[in-house]
């Protein structure tokens, strides 16, 4: 009698586990477009047509604000961190001298060696090739290609921005070789892009 009740209990557990598994599989096929549309779940393929445009603008704005906050936080950290490293604060004080685009002979050390700008040119070429490969990457399934297009374009955009940055840096390191040239508006523009 105990054996049959244990077996029945085991069968019941298997049935519950199977039902949970089926429910989880069904849940994988469903996604919510936004918190405001939580009443009606929508399939992933329908999400583009059912979500209103304000949701994407709201999400984009959140990402832009988060990126701005993160950028400022990283800048502040990078200006603070070298000065709190034990034993290195005197080196940091000699190395990190704020110039604010006003350079002088005494404090300015600008690396304009071929190793620096050729490395930047090489990075520009690599980023450009990778961006092209991202855009042109395609598989056999047209549906998957269409779904991956946004990710491929975003990845390529990031690589292109980095390529432009390294190109501006390479040009600046190669062509702005005197302190006088570092104090020009043209250098500021290149360095801003870099």
């Amino acid at each position: 009698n105990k054996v049959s009740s244990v077996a029945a209990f085991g069968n019941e557990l298997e049935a519950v586990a199977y039902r949970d598994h089926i429910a989880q599989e069904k849940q994988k096929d469903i996604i919510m477009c936004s918190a405001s549309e939580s009443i009606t779940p929508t399939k992933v393929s329908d999400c583009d047509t059912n979500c209103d445009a304000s949701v994407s603008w709201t999400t984009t704005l959140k990402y832009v604000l988060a990126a701005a906050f993160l950028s400022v936080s990283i800048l502040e950290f990078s200006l603070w961190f070298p000065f709190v490293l034990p034993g290195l604060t005197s080196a940091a004080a000699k190395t990190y001298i704020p110039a604010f685009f006003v350079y002088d002979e005494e404090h300015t050390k600008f690396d304009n060696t071929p190793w620096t700008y050729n490395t930047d040119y090489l990075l520009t070429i690599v980023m450009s090739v990778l961006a092209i490969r991202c855009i042109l990457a395609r598989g056999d399934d047209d549906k998957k290609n269409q779904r991956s297009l946004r990710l491929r374009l975003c990845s390529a955009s990031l690589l292109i921005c980095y390529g432009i940055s390294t190109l501006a840096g390479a040009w600046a390191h190669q062509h702005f070789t005197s302190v006088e040239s570092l104090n020009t508006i043209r250098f500021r523009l290149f360095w801003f892009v870099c």
Side-chain angles (χ1 to χ4, degrees):
N1 196 3
K2 281 187 177 182
V3 172
S4 64
S5 64
V6 169
F9 182 69
N11 288 341
E12 187 177 321
L13 283 178
E14 286 179 18
V16 168
Y18 179 73
R19 281 195 303 261
D20 287 346
H21 173 73
I22 295 297
Q24 287 174 354
E25 289 298 314
K26 286 182 179 178
Q27 200 63 18
K28 286 181 186 176
D29 293 337
I30 297 174
I31 187 170
M32 305 295 176
C33 283
S34 70
S36 64
E37 295 180 357
S38 61
I39 298 170
T40 17
T42 312
K43 286 210 180 244
V44 175
S45 59
D46 299 336
C47 201
D48 291 336
T49 57
N50 290 342
C51 290
D52 63 81
S54 65
V55 173
S56 64
W57 281 107
T58 305
T59 304
T60 303
L61 181 62
K62 286 179 187 176
Y63 283 127
V64 167
L65 290 175
F69 175 76
L70 186 62
S71 298
V72 169
S73 299
I74 290 171
L75 174 66
E76 290 299 320
F77 178 79
S78 68
L79 293 174
W80 167 81
F81 185 68
F83 296 98
V84 297
L85 292 173
L88 297 177
T89 53
S90 63
K94 293 176 187 173
T95 306
Y96 300 106
I97 301 169
F100 301 108
F101 293 107
V102 179
Y103 301 98
D104 60 10
E105 291 285 343
E106 181 184 348
H107 297 105
T108 302
K109 307 284 187 272
F110 193 65
D111 185 6
N112 51 16
T113 61
W115 287 105
T116 301
Y117 59 79
N118 285 333
T119 302
D120 284 348
Y121 285 131
L122 178 66
L123 282 170
T124 301
I125 292 167
V126 169
M127 294 305 120
S128 301
V129 168
L130 291 174
I132 291 168
R133 290 190 68 182
C134 278
I135 293 170
L136 298 178
R138 297 186 59 82
D140 296 333
D141 187 0
D142 285 339
K143 227 176 200 181
K144 286 182 181 177
N145 287 332
Q146 188 62 28
R147 282 184 277 174
S148 70
L149 180 63
R150 182 173 179 203
L151 175 62
R152 290 184 286 126
L153 290 177
C154 288
S155 300
S157 299
L158 183 63
L159 291 165
I160 289 167
C161 287
Y162 188 53
I164 291 169
S165 172
T166 56
L167 180 62
W171 186 265
H173 280 288
Q174 184 178 9
H175 295 284
F176 295 97
T177 55
S178 67
V179 173
E180 294 80 28
S181 65
L182 297 178
N183 287 317
T184 62
I185 296 293
R186 192 169 166 208
F187 174 76
R188 285 187 189 193
L189 291 173
F190 273 92
W191 210 243
F192 179 78
V193 171
C194 177

